[in-house]
Amino acid sequence: MAWSNPRMQYSCVRRYRGPVKLVVLDWAGTVIDYGVCAPALTFSQIFKNEGVPISNEEARGPMGAHKRVHIQRVLENESVRGRWIQKHGGPPTEEDVDRMYANFVPMQLSVMKNYSTMIPGAVETVNHLREKGMKIGSTTGYTTPILDDLKPVAAKQGYEPDFYAAADMVPQARPCPYMVWLNAIKLDVHPIEAVVKVDDTVDGVKEGTSAGCWAVGVAKTGNYVGATEEEVAAMSQGELDRKLHRAYDTLIDSGAHYVIDSIVNLPGVIADINRRLAAGERP
């Protein structure tokens, strides 16, 4: 006979009602490299070297993923794949992907030197969040060698997260949740509702929602506007509005709880998340 208890008709649900404890930030397009130019230019050059030039949009499509996976996804694009077959006489192979990725890393390290300026207001915003008691984590589609090269450049500009997670430190990178969880473990933060992930790409947003935390998309400084600060300033208002509309739609459709222009808008979002947490809401 199954054991029963009339009190089991009711259940106790735990609700976290405290504040945000940890903000996990992406790198390019979120805190550094306004417009995500370094990886976009590198991917374009890698494919050009293979005799298969790709458009800026094709280069940016899978942004946020592990860079080897990014190359695979570009090669899966129907148009790119067709041009590859026309050039090389057959579909791309794993050996092709391995070669292109091996060429990507040193080229990215070289290109990145010219696109490693912190996004305006990023350092000040991070300092503000720390003053409010939050820890700062980070994730990236870059692998450890690239991230190790980026760390001192960012540190000289005043940016040093409390933890760094690279794409090769986990079984699977974005959109899987492991890098966010690794930040939470290493920084001793729980529950997951107390974590906010901030990113400018679809895979980066999904990394946050997959982890079970709040996800904030970054539109204006990120991949889907895809322009430097100077290029944005030179755009007509109509062109900028069209690009921003597309970026916002893309990030909202990926599951972002909030979308902002830039990291400087993040404190207001954190305040609203704290309000919702206090009311017993979950991501």
Side-chain angles (χ1 to χ4, degrees):
M1 180 177 178
W3 181 85
S4 65
N5 186 322
R7 293 185 62 187
M8 291 179 67
Q9 295 175 14
Y10 301 90
S11 62
C12 177
V13 179
R14 296 182 68 194
R15 292 288 188 197
Y16 176 72
R17 294 178 182 269
V20 171
K21 299 179 182 179
L22 169 63
V23 178
V24 181
L25 300 170
D26 173 49
W27 282 81
T30 300
V31 297
I32 204 166
D33 185 10
Y34 195 121
V36 197
C37 297
L41 291 171
T42 305
F43 284 121
S44 294
Q45 189 59 51
I46 288 294
F47 276 83
K48 184 178 180 180
N49 291 350
E50 295 288 331
V52 184
I54 58 176
S55 68
N56 184 53
E57 186 171 353
E58 288 168 339
R60 290 179 176 275
M63 201 69 77
H66 186 299
K67 301 314 176 191
R68 189 185 186 281
V69 174
H70 187 124
I71 292 169
Q72 286 178 308
R73 290 187 187 174
V74 174
L75 288 169
E76 290 167 1
N77 177 291
E78 185 176 351
S79 177
V80 175
R81 185 177 178 85
R83 300 198 303 271
W84 181 281
I85 292 172
Q86 186 176 18
K87 173 67 178 180
H88 295 283
T93 64
E94 285 297 308
E95 289 74 18
D96 293 324
V97 176
D98 288 339
R99 181 184 65 257
M100 295 169 75
Y101 178 64
N103 292 334
F104 172 87
V105 175
M107 188 180 295
Q108 175 70 93
L109 291 172
S110 176
V111 171
M112 197 167 61
K113 295 174 183 177
N114 298 319
Y115 295 95
S116 297
T117 301
M118 295 297 294
I119 288 171
V123 173
E124 294 79 4
T125 300
V126 167
N127 291 341
H128 170 77
L129 297 177
R130 280 189 166 131
E131 288 170 2
K132 295 292 185 179
M134 283 163 261
K135 296 178 180 178
I136 304 298
S138 69
T139 73
T140 180
Y142 290 142
T143 50
T144 299
I146 299 174
L147 183 57
D148 284 346
D149 214 55
L150 193 56
K151 287 179 189 177
V153 177
K156 287 180 181 178
Q157 299 175 72
Y159 179 61
E160 294 182 87
D162 300 309
F163 183 71
Y164 304 79
D168 57 346
M169 293 171 63
V170 291
Q172 293 187 67
R174 301 164 178 165
C176 292
Y178 304 123
M179 284 193 287
V180 171
W181 288 347
L182 185 60
N183 272 268
I185 291 168
K186 292 295 185 180
L187 295 176
D188 188 21
V189 171
H190 69 91
I192 198 65
E193 297 97 306
V195 178
V196 176
K197 173 68 204 305
V198 186
D199 205 292
D200 67 295
T201 65
V202 166
D203 276 4
V205 167
K206 289 181 177 179
E207 175 186 38
T209 56
S210 296
C213 67
W214 303 91
V216 180
V218 179
K220 189 174 182 179
T221 65
N223 183 61
Y224 303 118
V225 171
T228 65
E229 186 178 9
E230 294 76 19
E231 289 169 340
V232 167
M235 283 182 193
S236 68
Q237 191 59 50
E239 181 183 7
L240 179 57
D241 287 345
R242 285 192 297 274
K243 287 180 178 290
L244 274 174
H245 189 273
R246 175 177 176 269
Y248 269 77
D249 281 353
T250 299
L251 293 165
I252 289 168
D253 289 346
S254 72
H257 299 97
Y258 300 84
V259 180
I260 54 180
D261 276 4
S262 163
I263 189 174
V264 298
N265 308 119
L266 186 59
V269 168
I270 299 293
D272 194 60
I273 291 173
N274 283 337
R275 176 190 62 78
R276 294 173 68 179
L277 285 169
E281 288 191 49
R282 291 178 172 178

